[in-house]
Amino acid sequence: MTQESARTPHGSDSTGQGQSGGAPGFTRAQVEALFMNAAREGEAELLARFLDAGMEADLRSDKGYTPLILATYNGHLEAARVLLAHGADVNAQDEKGATALAGVAFKGDLALARLLLEAGAGVDVANAVGRTPLMFAVMFGREDMVRLLLAAGADPYRRDGEGLNAIELAHRQGGAALAQVLAQEQGNP
C-alpha cells in the first residue's frame, strides 16, 4: 500500500478520523505491521530507523512473536544484532512459550545461537509443554547445536511435559549417537 492510498487528500485516514499514531499516511497498525515485516525479512537498516523513531523493540504480534523471535527464526543475524542493541528482550516468549533461542536451536543456526547466548539468553527456558532449546536441537538432530547448548550449561536431564529428558528424546527419535553425545558431554559415558 502506498502512502497516498492509505489516506484521503486531507491527511485523514479512510474513516476521516485522522491518524492514530505512526507516520503520516499510515495507521499505527500499518506501521507496526511494516516493522514486524522488516524483522521477518531481516531488513536491519529499516529496523534501526523504526527503533530510532521510537518503535518498541518488544512489540508483539497477535501470536506473541516479537521482532527478535521473527528475525532469528528466519536466520537474520544483523537484524537480531540491531534489535538486541536497541534493548530487545532476549528471553521473550511467544504465546506457546518459545523463545528466540528455541527457534534457533531447532533450525540449527549456530551463529544466531551464539549471539543470543552472549546476550544472556536463558539456555533452559522451557516452552508451554516444557521443551527447552536443547530438546528442540535433539529432536531435530542438530548435533553441533546440542554441543553448543551443553557447553552453555543446558541441562540434558531436565524433563518436559511428557516426563522425558533430552537423552530420552534422542533415543525416542532414533538418535542413539546423539544420546551418547549428551551423556558424554555431561561426563556420564
Side-chain angles (χ1 to χ4, degrees):
M1 175 178 286
T2 67
Q3 196 170 21
E4 291 301 317
S5 66
R7 63 181 177 173
T8 64
H10 300 291
S12 62
D13 64 19
S14 60
T15 66
Q17 300 298 313
Q19 300 302 311
S20 58
F26 291 94
T27 66
R28 178 73 181 174
Q30 289 170 324
V31 171
E32 289 175 356
L34 290 168
F35 176 60
M36 296 301 268
N37 191 59
R40 185 179 296 104
E41 298 297 322
E43 298 179 35
E45 289 181 31
L46 183 56
L47 283 171
R49 290 198 309 257
F50 273 117
L51 292 160
D52 289 344
M55 186 63 70
E56 182 183 342
D58 290 323
L59 181 70
R60 298 236 175 211
S61 75
D62 59 343
K63 294 188 180 192
Y65 303 136
T66 64
L68 183 63
I69 290 171
L70 291 172
T72 56
Y73 184 81
N74 289 292
H76 301 302
L77 185 64
E78 290 307 313
R81 282 190 177 121
V82 166
L83 290 160
L84 290 167
H86 283 82
D89 180 358
V90 73
N91 290 309
Q93 294 175 279
D94 68 18
E95 70 179 12
K96 293 183 180 179
T99 61
L101 185 59
V104 167
F106 133 70
K107 292 266 190 142
D109 192 322
L110 295 172
L112 275 167
R114 285 185 189 100
L115 176 70
L116 294 170
L117 289 167
E118 289 169 6
V123 74
D124 282 326
V125 176
N127 70 5
V129 295
R131 297 253 164 90
T132 64
L134 178 63
M135 292 174 182
F136 283 112
V138 166
M139 291 168 57
F140 289 90
R142 310 288 189 203
E143 185 175 332
D144 289 341
M145 183 65 69
V146 166
R147 290 180 188 280
L148 176 67
L149 294 171
L150 288 170
D155 180 0
Y157 300 104
R158 184 180 177 125
R159 299 203 175 269
D160 67 9
E162 293 180 54
L164 299 170
N165 66 34
I167 297 168
E168 293 161 342
L169 284 168
H171 283 295
R172 187 170 90 172
Q173 299 291 115
L178 195 50
Q180 187 175 6
V181 167
L182 287 159
Q184 286 176 345
E185 290 291 323
Q186 291 300 304
N188 299 318

